[in-house]
Amino acid sequence: MNQVTVASIEKAIDKIDNLNDDSLERIAETFALGQQTLLGYVMSAAVEYKNPELEGLLIYYFCLLIEAYNQEGVQLEVVTDEMIDEFEEPFFEMLDQYFDKDNEEIVDEFCDQPELFRFMVAEISTPDEDGTTLNDDTATQLFIVSLATITLLSRAIK
């Protein structure tokens, strides 16, 4: 299994964060067309959680995570509804265990992308450059959805 490295994550951050609005829109559109089912699944979380603040964050991290895989040089299969259906029940069981025991090894074993997992934990728990932080609900929701995205993309590696 190819694991995304810190170097690939840093390159993805550098690329995504330095795009102008038009370029960011184009890359988001490209990634969305390549992973339509996954994007639909990811974006449905903002509706299910009734959290409009989550929408922009989900699109940003969707692009960033796909770019991290791209920077690692791996090719991804298209995530399908069947992949999502097979993934969901074990994923939510793993989350229950993780939140009960607060043991990162549970997540590491399930998603097999420890650097991406640690990156998202840091992103969620660290204030932005201007000092803003996510409220607890949004942070938890972003964590769950980004972890699902990381895992589904990891399982889609060719």
Side-chain angles (χ1 to χ4, degrees):
M1 177 64 69
N2 293 6
Q3 292 187 341
V4 176
T5 62
V6 171
S8 293
I9 297 167
E10 289 172 350
K11 287 177 188 174
I13 293 167
D14 189 50
K15 180 175 179 175
I16 299 296
D17 285 357
N18 288 306
L19 293 173
N20 63 35
D21 288 344
D22 289 340
S23 296
L24 184 58
E25 189 175 316
R26 278 195 301 279
I27 201 166
E29 191 174 298
T30 300
F31 291 162
L33 290 172
Q35 291 288 352
Q36 289 181 355
T37 300
L38 179 58
L39 180 60
Y41 179 69
V42 166
M43 295 309 293
S44 71
V47 175
E48 287 179 31
Y49 289 126
K50 297 180 177 115
N51 185 349
E53 179 186 355
L54 197 55
E55 281 183 24
L57 293 167
L58 292 174
I59 290 172
Y60 172 78
Y61 285 105
F62 176 80
C63 291
L64 188 66
L65 293 170
I66 290 178
E67 184 59 34
Y69 281 92
N70 289 344
Q71 290 294 329
E72 193 61 40
V74 296
Q75 291 194 320
L76 298 169
E77 301 277 345
V78 173
V79 174
T80 64
D81 286 325
E82 293 77 22
M83 291 170 74
I84 293 170
D85 290 344
E86 289 175 17
F87 152 86
E88 277 190 313
E89 186 176 332
F91 176 70
F92 289 113
E93 288 173 5
M94 179 276 303
L95 282 177
D96 288 342
Q97 290 177 9
Y98 170 71
F99 286 124
D100 283 347
K101 298 178 180 165
D102 196 27
N103 182 345
E104 289 184 9
E105 288 180 16
I106 293 168
V107 176
D108 283 344
E109 290 174 17
F110 186 83
C111 84
D112 197 31
Q113 292 294 338
E115 298 302 336
L116 284 171
F117 167 65
R118 282 188 251 309
F119 164 72
M120 285 309 304
V121 168
E123 285 290 291
I124 290 164
S125 60
T126 306
D128 283 348
E129 291 174 4
D130 65 359
T132 54
T133 58
L134 298 173
N135 68 53
D136 287 345
D137 286 343
T138 300
T140 300
Q141 294 160 1
L142 179 59
F143 171 76
I144 291 168
V145 178
S146 61
L147 185 57
T149 305
I150 291 166
T151 305
L152 285 163
L153 288 171
S154 182
R155 292 178 180 191
I157 294 174
K158 289 184 183 181

